[in-house]
Amino acid sequence: MNTDTESLLNEAQSCYESKDYSRSEQLYSSILSNTDSNEEQIKASEIALLKLGSIYQNEKNADKLASLIRSSHTFLAVIPKAKTSKIVRSLIDCFQGLPESLNLQIEVCQELIDWCTSEKRIFLKQNIETKLVSIYLENRDYSNTLKLIATLLKELKRLDDKMVLVEVQLLESRAYHALRNMAKSRAALTSARTSANAIYCPPLLQGALDMQSGILHADDKDFKTAFSYFFETFESYSSQEDSRAVVALKYMLLCKIMIGLTDDVNSIVSGKLGIKYAGSAIDAMKRVAEAHRNRSLQEFEVVLNEHKAELKNDPIICSHLNALYDTLLEQNLIRVIEPFSRVEIAHVAKLVNLPTGDVETKLSQMILDKAFHGILDQGAGCLIVFDEPQTDKIYDSSLDTLKNMGNVVESLYQKAATLG
């Protein structure tokens, strides 16, 4: 690398580290504008391209980032194909965290796919299409997600590119999970694991597979197995210093809360893991555990409102906490109505500090689910609670006797038919 280019890179890096992004952008742009095709200049341009992407990400300037990717086609055409995929993926990843940039990401990816098609860069095209699938999924455009996945799977199986195949099958599992088609989600995950067994699976990809397995087991209410998968995920992400380790830790704590082991939550949070990844996300889960231990709906609602970003905005945690809220509400209502044979619904609502309409709806659902025995007298605005009915054992015994007699008669009939 010549002295001028090296000094420009050093100065640009120094400006970048001191957060003088304007000056750093100028210097990196001047390096990128150099059209020399020698190896040293290409290496410098590669560094400049990635740093400019990082600058625009820090400045949250999605338009400039999109322009940079569009203008990089000429440079990408002269560098080795093996490097191209890594650079393009890194630049697209710079959109991460930029507000309202999903539509722009889709547009940029589609342009890159068209360029790859014209340049006959099949493997790069498939890499970008895989990224586009994940963007469609994030944008909740499930129709285009599944359509592109179907096309990709055919091509990848034909070319036997197992690494990308695992990624696409995992994305397929996530798409079907989002659509609540659990059977197809599990089938796609099984296919992804089978493909992964045939190759060396990097820790981050293995962590993503374990994460999806944990999510599916949690949906089946098998929280012990889900916890094991989330722990494996956490170890994979943590070993790579990946930010998603916090999400895996959150899901581990969720599993402990859902099976009522709130003391385990405190031991995990106060240990090495909790200290290393301490923050608002872990604090939120700790407070949920405390509310569950105290069986306090009021505490639970306060936590949900105060930590909306960490709890309600995560669809996995939100769905399970909604189920937990329902369980807590049922427990509270049964505890409140237990001393009464007849009680006003408004009084019950006052005791649990909830709107009367919500309490009436929940009580009606609980009666239908046979959580307790009673009826709602809506005219009087009262709940009438019945004693637990005594089951007549003679009735059950009679049914069993008749069933056994039927089996005997059927057996005798079959023997008689054989003899005849």
Side-chain angles (χ1 to χ4, degrees):
M1 194 176 294
N2 66 55
T3 311
D4 291 342
T5 305
E6 192 172 352
S7 62
L8 279 173
L9 277 174
N10 290 334
E11 188 183 348
Q13 179 61 25
S14 177
C15 293
Y16 178 83
E17 287 171 359
S18 62
K19 296 188 178 179
D20 183 0
Y21 294 134
S22 177
R23 177 60 181 158
S24 183
E25 181 187 352
Q26 288 175 2
L27 293 166
Y28 282 128
S29 295
S30 66
I31 293 167
L32 201 57
S33 63
N34 192 326
T35 55
D36 290 349
S37 57
N38 61 68
E39 191 178 334
E40 291 179 349
Q41 180 55 43
I42 288 172
K43 190 176 180 181
S45 296
E46 184 186 326
I47 295 168
L49 187 62
L50 292 172
K51 282 293 182 182
L52 280 169
S54 183
I55 288 168
Y56 298 144
Q57 183 182 25
N58 292 333
E59 291 181 335
K60 300 194 181 301
N61 194 328
D63 291 328
K64 276 193 172 183
L65 182 56
S67 298
L68 176 70
I69 295 170
R70 284 165 178 150
S71 63
S72 67
H73 292 182
T74 309
F75 173 68
L76 293 173
V78 298
I79 63 172
K81 290 183 179 181
K83 281 187 177 182
T84 311
S85 179
K86 186 180 177 183
I87 291 170
V88 171
R89 288 291 289 260
S90 298
L91 287 172
I92 295 171
D93 285 342
C94 288
F95 278 106
Q96 197 72 31
L98 301 188
E100 298 178 3
S101 65
L102 287 175
N103 290 330
L104 186 56
Q105 288 182 60
I106 291 168
E107 195 179 307
V108 168
C109 284
Q110 286 170 339
E111 288 172 7
L112 280 167
I113 289 165
D114 291 339
W115 176 76
C116 290
T117 305
S118 63
E119 293 287 320
K120 296 181 180 177
R121 297 201 170 196
I122 298 168
F123 291 105
L124 178 58
K125 173 176 169 285
Q126 288 170 350
N127 269 282
I128 298 167
E129 283 177 335
T130 304
K131 182 64 182 176
L132 182 57
V133 168
S134 66
I135 297 168
Y136 278 144
L137 191 54
E138 192 179 345
N139 204 31
R140 298 181 182 180
D141 185 352
Y142 302 121
S143 176
N144 277 324
T145 300
L146 294 172
K147 188 178 174 183
L148 185 53
I149 283 172
T151 307
L152 261 173
L153 287 174
K154 284 180 186 175
E155 291 180 13
L156 293 167
K157 284 174 183 175
R158 181 168 50 82
L159 295 168
D160 200 31
D161 190 344
K162 289 277 197 305
M163 188 69 75
V164 183
L165 182 63
V166 173
E167 284 186 56
V168 175
Q169 287 169 332
L170 179 58
L171 288 167
E172 184 183 22
S173 178
R174 287 176 181 164
Y176 280 122
H177 178 263
L179 291 167
R180 310 309 295 169
N181 189 333
M182 296 306 173
K184 286 192 174 181
S185 181
R186 287 190 194 91
L189 181 61
T190 302
S191 299
R193 284 196 170 280
T194 304
S195 301
N197 288 336
I199 55 167
Y200 165 72
C201 197
L204 291 179
L205 185 55
Q206 185 60 54
L209 288 168
D210 289 333
M211 175 79 86
Q212 186 65 9
S213 295
I215 289 168
L216 290 175
H217 276 91
D219 280 346
D220 290 338
K221 311 298 179 191
D222 184 2
F223 292 106
K224 286 186 179 179
T225 308
F227 178 85
S228 301
Y229 277 115
F230 290 138
F231 183 72
E232 293 292 334
T233 304
F234 175 78
E235 287 200 320
S236 297
Y237 287 156
S238 184
S239 66
Q240 301 297 308
E241 298 292 331
D242 193 281
S243 59
R244 289 173 292 179
V246 179
V247 179
L249 182 54
K250 267 169 64 179
Y251 292 171
M252 284 166 60
L253 298 177
L254 174 70
C255 290
K256 291 294 184 183
I257 292 167
M258 294 305 292
I259 53 180
L261 299 176
T262 49
D263 290 338
D264 288 1
V265 171
N266 286 331
S267 61
I268 292 170
V269 169
S270 58
K272 278 185 179 179
L273 304 183
I275 293 167
K276 183 178 179 181
Y277 293 97
S280 59
I282 305 305
D283 289 341
M285 297 308 295
K286 188 179 177 182
R287 288 186 62 190
V288 168
E290 286 170 3
H292 183 257
R293 189 189 303 112
N294 299 335
R295 294 185 179 181
S296 170
L297 276 173
Q298 204 165 359
E299 276 184 53
F300 199 83
E301 286 182 333
V302 168
V303 177
L304 289 178
N305 289 327
E306 288 183 3
H307 293 276
K308 189 175 180 180
E310 293 84 2
L311 301 175
K312 287 188 176 179
N313 291 352
D314 186 322
I316 306 300
I317 286 186
C318 185
S319 66
H320 289 295
L321 289 187
N322 285 339
L324 186 65
Y325 179 85
D326 276 351
T327 305
L328 275 175
L329 179 54
E330 282 189 16
Q331 289 173 352
N332 273 261
L333 287 172
I334 287 170
R335 181 169 52 82
V336 166
I337 66 175
E338 197 173 19
F340 301 100
S341 59
R342 184 184 179 92
V343 60
E344 288 184 352
I345 297 168
H347 180 63
V348 175
K350 186 179 178 183
L351 290 174
V352 295
N353 197 25
L354 285 172
T356 306
D358 291 353
V359 170
E360 187 176 336
T361 303
K362 187 63 185 175
L363 287 170
S364 174
Q365 183 190 332
M366 287 168 70
I367 291 168
L368 291 171
D369 292 340
K370 296 184 179 178
F372 69 93
H373 296 273
I375 58 169
L376 288 171
D377 185 347
Q378 289 180 309
C382 288
L383 169 71
I384 301 166
V385 184
F386 302 142
D387 292 331
E388 190 77 25
Q390 296 294 320
T391 54
D392 192 344
K393 292 182 180 178
I394 295 173
Y395 177 74
D396 290 335
S397 299
S398 301
L399 284 176
D400 288 340
T401 304
L402 288 169
K403 185 180 176 183
N404 289 330
M405 283 178 68
N407 291 338
V408 170
V409 171
E410 183 67 28
S411 176
L412 288 170
Y413 176 78
Q414 286 175 358
K415 283 184 179 178
T418 307
L419 292 169

